Amino acid sequence: MAPSSTSRHAKNSTTGRLFLGALGRVAPSALIALSLKPFFRPPRGEVREPSTPGLNGHRWTLDTGRHELAVWDWGEGPTVLLSHGWGGQAADFRHLVGPLVRGGFSVVAFDHPAHGQSSGQEATLVEFARALEAVGRRVGPLSAIVGHSFGGAATALALDWGLPAKRAVLIAAPMDVRYFARGFADAVGLPERAHPRWYQAIERKVGVSMDSLDVRALARRQTAEALVVHDEADREVPFEHGQAIAAAWPNATLQRVAGLGHRRVLADAGVAELIVRTLRADLEPQARLRLA
């Protein structure tokens, strides 16, 4: 649920922008119907293998009954599950896998539905959380879940559904799916007066209310400890989202970072070190001594 390449193209094309703006003014219901499919269709960029120098990963497929998910695992130890964001893929975590494995963890990453090498054409936050739950229950028990952006919101939802994990790490996660829905509506020229109908159309498609997907509300019910990492100048998901999630989540720590943006944060060695250090604190003292 984020502005797709289709909406960005329409926004940047003069003809497309004028057409959509006119349609939104005279027939907002038609524009809503036209916009639903691209809203739920993530952009598929070049598919990449989540290769990590010096580490041999195991690639396998999990059939959930709804999707065939591409999954990779590395290392031995307590399991850390990685959940990428909208338009991303497991390879987005390639800079984090090595530090986690060297830190004594088994690492599992996968492509969400309609992303990377997994099946499907459309995705929703609910589908993200279902996939996360399916993989998590297959490879658990989980020591932690690390979620980036939309995958962080899905982490909160899956935990709320009962997927057990000791800790969550949310990187650049949004606090409210309406943020994406509103941004998409603005991009295609849907007038403000039609936004309630747009939200209702999304809810009918997803099958749940947007209120039930509010990460701040989900956060208040969490029992897992959380580390929230967010760049203070994130242009895609503002820093205030991370602040709100951390404030609502019991036993959460907010780590402000600078100069990394929304995506480079996943490649930063300092952020990787922080995550590993935080997760290692959950290990038994004897295990920490063996790994030191």
Side-chain angles (χ1 to χ4, degrees), residues 29-291:
S29 295
L31 181 54
I32 288 172
L34 183 66
S35 299
L36 274 176
K37 181 168 287 189
F39 180 66
F40 287 107
R41 177 166 291 181
R44 278 192 190 257
E46 179 185 357
V47 176
R48 294 166 289 146
E49 289 287 331
S51 58
T52 303
L55 294 176
N56 293 320
H58 171 223
R59 200 290 199 185
W60 48 285
T61 300
L62 176 62
D63 186 348
T64 69
R66 300 174 64 89
H67 296 282
E68 291 189 353
L69 303 177
V71 189
W72 293 261
D73 59 63
W74 304 261
E76 297 181 355
T79 301
V80 178
L81 179 57
L82 309 180
S83 174
H84 67 75
W86 186 263
Q89 51 190 295
D92 293 349
F93 290 106
R94 61 193 179 279
H95 298 287
L96 181 57
V97 171
L100 283 170
V101 171
R102 290 190 291 272
F105 294 96
S106 170
V107 182
V108 179
F110 69 101
D111 290 338
H112 273 289
H115 290 73
Q117 299 179 37
S118 292
S119 68
Q121 297 297 321
E122 296 182 349
T124 68
L125 183 59
V126 170
E127 290 291 350
F128 261 53
R130 283 174 177 157
L132 188 56
E133 187 175 37
V135 178
R137 294 196 181 280
R138 173 68 177 270
V139 303
L142 300 178
S143 178
I145 305 173
V146 179
H148 174 241
S149 191
F150 205 68
T155 295
L157 183 57
L159 289 171
D160 188 67
W161 286 349
L163 178 63
K166 292 181 180 179
R167 188 180 291 269
V169 179
L170 305 185
I171 306 171
M175 65 183 180
D176 183 4
V177 295
R178 280 191 181 88
Y179 174 74
F180 297 118
R182 188 180 306 112
F184 191 98
D186 291 341
V188 299
L190 189 69
E192 186 75 27
R193 60 184 169 81
H195 282 198
R197 276 181 283 170
W198 169 238
Y199 299 150
Q200 290 167 5
I202 292 172
E203 290 176 335
R204 286 194 296 271
K205 173 75 173 180
V206 177
V208 298
S209 71
M210 283 193 167
D211 287 342
S212 69
L213 302 178
D214 190 307
V215 179
R216 293 162 295 185
L218 297 172
R220 296 186 187 100
R221 300 194 290 265
Q222 301 295 338
T223 57
E225 294 187 37
L227 170 65
V228 179
V229 181
H230 217 114
D231 189 279
E232 61 187 14
D234 190 325
R235 294 182 180 180
E236 296 189 38
V237 179
F239 177 70
E240 291 73 18
H241 287 234
Q243 285 181 308
I245 293 171
W249 195 304
N251 299 316
T253 300
L254 174 64
Q255 179 64 51
R256 179 197 297 256
V257 296
L260 300 176
H262 188 70
R263 302 183 188 279
R264 292 195 309 276
V265 64
L266 292 178
D268 185 73
V271 170
E273 180 183 359
L274 170 66
I275 292 172
V276 173
R277 185 169 65 247
T278 300
L279 300 187
R280 275 174 58 93
D282 293 332
L283 300 181
E284 294 295 329
Q286 295 85 352
R288 292 202 298 272
L289 286 173
R290 288 196 301 269
L291 296 169

